[in-house]
Amino acid sequence: MMISQADLHRAETVLELGPGTGIVTEIILENLAQDARFMALEINPAFATATRRRCPAADVVNGDAADARKHLAARGLNGTDVVISGLPWAAFPGSLQDRILSAVQDVLRPGGRFTTFAYVQGLLLPQARRFEKRLRARFPQVRKTPVVWRNLPPAFAYVATKS
Ligand SMILES: C[S@@+](CC[C@H](N)C(=O)[O-])C[C@H]1O[C@@H](n2cnc3c(N)ncnc32)[C@H](O)[C@@H]1O
């Protein structure tokens, strides 16, 4: 659902945050345009290695999503058209939500898309509701996809567009 909402086919650059074991990375790579650039930022070295193993063609950097600008610049990239996030926002304190959202806003090009998932039952948590509030404060256009009930636990994606 996250990937189908991101219009990957018209993206020159795609950045994934928190790929974990690379399950989503695999689907991103299958849907990238031929000349598109891709980078994944994973803070945990063991998960970065797991994603590299699953997706040898992916450029997986062991780094912090909050430093996205620095890591893109190291590859000669001045921004990205799409950010796809697997980050556990509801587990982050507000200050960290803010830092990473600032980085996403900063690196997204005008018209760029940011997709990230949330668990339906997670919306009961104050941190999850705070995340949605912060997201809406930064991006004028935010929509929620239908819930994917087959996911365990059921989840949906936020799709935010930078004006
Ligand atoms: C829920 S998992 C991602 C799951 C992944 N989409 C999958 O299906 O395998 C969240 C990931 O975000 C990573 N992460 C957490 N904080 C991060 C940060 N500040 N920068 C980059 N990655 C981070 C974690 O190490 C973890 O691998």
Side-chain angles (χ1 to χ4, degrees):
M1 178 64 87
M2 287 203 302
I3 288 161
S4 70
Q5 304 296 313
D7 286 342
L8 284 192
H9 58 279
R10 59 184 181 93
E12 286 175 15
T13 307
V14 176
L15 173 66
E16 183 184 7
L17 304 177
T21 56
I23 289 170
V24 172
T25 316
E26 207 167 30
I27 304 171
I28 293 173
L29 294 183
E30 284 168 15
N31 287 277
L32 276 186
Q34 207 177 1
D35 299 327
R37 299 280 301 271
F38 172 78
M39 180 198 285
L41 274 177
E42 171 53 61
I43 205 163
N44 180 317
F47 282 140
T49 302
T51 298
R52 283 188 204 109
R53 252 193 222 123
R54 186 191 289 267
C55 304
D59 182 9
V60 184
V61 175
N62 180 206
D64 189 337
D67 298 326
R69 165 71 62 197
K70 178 184 89 180
H71 292 296
L72 286 170
R75 299 290 195 272
L77 297 167
N78 64 0
T80 183
D81 304 299
V82 171
V83 175
I84 294 178
S85 160
L87 297 177
W89 296 102
F92 288 164
S95 55
L96 185 56
Q97 290 182 351
D98 265 335
R99 246 171 7 102
I100 300 179
L101 278 174
S102 292
V104 170
Q105 207 177 10
D106 175 43
V107 298
L108 262 187
R109 296 182 179 134
R113 282 92 57 208
F114 170 46
T115 69
T116 189
F117 76 91
Y119 296 119
V120 174
Q121 92 279 13
L123 287 180
L124 298 170
L125 301 172
Q127 304 96 295
R129 289 204 298 273
R130 216 167 39 205
F131 171 71
E132 181 172 332
K133 218 167 146 193
R134 283 186 157 88
L135 184 66
R136 291 188 186 283
R138 286 164 184 278
F139 292 89
Q141 285 183 55
V142 177
R143 62 187 173 80
K144 291 180 183 177
T145 67
V147 172
V148 179
W149 294 104
R150 277 183 308 153
N151 198 70
L152 288 178
F156 62 92
Y158 292 104
V159 185
T161 305
K162 179 166 170 175
S163 49

